[in-house]
């Protein structure tokens, strides 16, 4: 009969593989979009999509590393995982601003644009804040897990 720990290891392994596969896909998409911008028609949407793809690639890599850590330790509440969640939160928050900042310097007609911050940028940054809040919940979970481990 399969134990809970064995089931957790199988699930985290498959999730980790999927996460790294998605990261690789996003890396290819980022390269393709950025290349299309510079080699093609200078469509600003290609550049935005490339930037978002780079950000999502980084997030998926870190998520894969988090799943690897859970698979190795069998514990989701560790200082290393909390640190990685905070890094993801920071990347996503900053990632919401990067395309808006890029729009100041780059445009399809060579002229500069003003700072353009739309709903997608706001949603991206808000998602980063939510991930940061979840990382704080992991701090509490780490403390509970530590107390429980010291009792047992």
């Amino acid at each position: 009969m399969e134990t809970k720990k064995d089931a957790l290891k199988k699930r985290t392994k498959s999730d980790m593989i999927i996460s790294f596969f998605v990261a690789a896909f996003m890396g290819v998409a980022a390269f393709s979009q950025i290349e299309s911008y510079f080699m093609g028609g200078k469509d600003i949407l290609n550049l935005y999509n490339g930037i978002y793809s780079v950000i999502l690639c980084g997030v998926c890599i870190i998520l894969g590393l988090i799943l690897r850590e859970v698979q190795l330790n069998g514990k989701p509440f560790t200082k290393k995982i909390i640190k990685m969640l905070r890094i993801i939160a920071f990347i996503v928050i900053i990632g919401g601003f990067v395309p808006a900042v890029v729009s100041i310097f780059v445009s399809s007609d060579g002229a500069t644009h003003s700072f353009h911050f739309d709903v997608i940028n706001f949603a991206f940054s808000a998602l980063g804040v939510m991930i940061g809040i979840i990382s704080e919940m992991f701090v509490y979970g780490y403390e509970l897990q530590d107390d429980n481990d010291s009792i047992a």
Side-chain angles (χ1 to χ4, degrees), residues 52 55-56 59 63 82-97 117 119-137:
Y52 284 130
I55 293 164
L56 292 174
V59 167
L63 282 175
I82 293 167
K83 183 179 179 182
M84 285 191 258
L85 280 172
R86 288 178 176 164
I87 291 169
I88 289 174
F90 179 76
I91 289 171
V92 173
I93 290 169
I94 297 300
F97 290 100
F117 194 77
V119 174
I120 293 174
N121 301 105
F122 177 75
F124 223 77
S125 295
L127 180 63
V129 170
M130 289 182 226
I131 294 169
I133 292 169
I134 291 170
S135 76
E136 291 306 313
M137 292 177 192

Side-chain angles (χ1 to χ4, degrees), residues 3 9 17 28 32-33 38 45 62 67 76 100 109 111 114-115 125 129-130 142 148 150 152:
T3 65
K9 284 189 175 190
I17 291 168
V28 170
S32 172
Q33 291 292 322
F38 286 108
L45 287 178
I62 297 171
L67 291 168
D109 59 3
S114 61
F115 187 75
S125 295
V129 170
M130 289 182 226
Y142 171 74
N148 190 30
S150 65

Side-chain angles (χ1 to χ4, degrees), residues 5-19 63-64 66-72 74:
K5 191 172 185 176
D6 292 335
L8 175 70
K9 284 189 175 190
K10 282 184 180 178
R11 279 194 319 269
T12 55
K13 184 174 184 175
S14 62
D15 291 343
M16 179 185 62
I17 291 168
I18 291 168
S19 181
L63 282 175
I66 287 173
L67 291 168
R68 178 72 177 149
E69 184 70 20
V70 171
Q71 183 187 20
L72 292 175

